Amino acid sequence: MKNTVGLMNKKTAKAVALLTAIILAFVAFCGGRGTALADDTEKTELPYGGEFGPSTISNKIKGVSAYSCSRLKVLTPEEAAEQNVPDGYKGHVVTMSPGGNLGVAFDFSEANISVHTLKSISIRVYVESTDGDITEGDSHYPEVRIVYPGATDHQIVKYDVSSRTDRWNTIVIYPDGTNITNDAKRMCGADNALMTLANEEGILQAFEVSVRRSAGTGNFYIDFISLNFMDDTHKGPDITYNGPEVMQIPKGSKIVVDAVADDFDEKRICPITYEWEKGVALDEDGFPAAGTKCKLILKSADGFGNITEKAINAEVMPPDKTPPRFNFETDTIKCVAGTVPQTVGAAGDDTILMSVSYEWPEDAIDRLGRINEGTFEVKAKAEDTSGNVTEKVIKVIAGGADTFEGFTVIYDKKG
């Protein structure tokens, strides 16, 4: 089996290796018996490394589990044979009491694994057949599932095993969305479908591997979860800076740089952090004194922790006290119903405009983003990187095509 730890960053690998060594020593000391989680114990987690990666295994995690189980155990190969686990497993086996719908939670959140470093995740399971299995018609059961954490009525994986019961099956999910539901990919909103299992930073979190039946009670076994890593090129993202030769930064403002960190291997844009060059004196606000000319260091890391740096010229300006401006003077705009609001160039700022937002009444916009017929008050808000805010209330009158002799397209003026 592939070593799921060897391609992590060194700090994580050492921590995982130490944890695994301690656990395996404990297993050996106990005569090879895995630690069991029963309903009547106070223990809430079942720690184990090995074939299940650097995860913590438990019968239920709030917000993650849809089904859960009772009498969860991790059996050694010898124990698995003694308890008549079906032949074909490759090592330790996760078992539980037989049931209808069963699930086991695997929590990877402490291992600091970026899903952007993964080629795939393989899960090997065995689902015992029952008299309640459905193999014909529109609905097929049982299904192996992974539910969406935080929205457990949605599924990330719905893998039909109705014709594959009483055998070991390996389910493989990929970043391109193979074996991941369209519903989950839509909810995730990311190009990498494995982000369905990660937090906003792309770090692999907890998920439940479960079986959903129509009826009947049977066994459910899990042989392994394999994290299949890409090769580490030891090269960080490429940082491209598109701003001026000297970037002027108002003292105390939020630093927003026109730069992109592109990682070809991971096929994604990576986050960028900033820091002042070493040796520059900083005030209490974390900025050099106004008038200071120095380097601003841009940093970006890939999923393996490989870091790229790029230095740009910067000048610290006095604090910015001037609020943004809206680039239209009128307080009333007329348009034809069905118009799609255009916001490009609607506001500007003397330094860097951070955001422009518009709060429309609930009945103003249809599901396709078009303005309904009627008169509406729109609250517009513009904010720059120094926290200066300008707000404006605009009356929008949307009528039929024959209502006005002419009409104004909303927010079409360039900044």
Side-chain angles (χ1 to χ4, degrees), residues 294-338:
C294 59
K295 299 288 186 182
L296 183 68
I297 311 300
L298 281 57
K299 289 186 174 183
S300 185
D302 66 9
F304 288 105
N306 301 307
I307 297 175
T308 300
E309 297 186 5
K310 187 179 186 66
I312 63 173
N313 296 315
E315 180 179 4
V316 180
M317 308 301 291
D320 174 23
K321 301 296 184 181
T322 305
R325 62 186 178 278
F326 283 101
N327 294 327
F328 49 88
E329 297 179 357
T330 180
D331 293 329
T332 302
I333 295 177
K334 297 179 179 180
C335 68
V336 172

Side-chain angles (χ1 to χ4, degrees), residues 6-10 117 229-236 263 265-266 302-306:
L7 294 178
M8 288 185 278
N9 62 60
K10 293 181 179 178
T117 66
F229 288 85
M230 299 186 299
D231 292 331
D232 184 359
T233 62
H234 303 287
K235 179 181 179 298
D263 193 284
D265 297 314
E266 297 181 7
D302 66 9
F304 288 105
N306 301 307

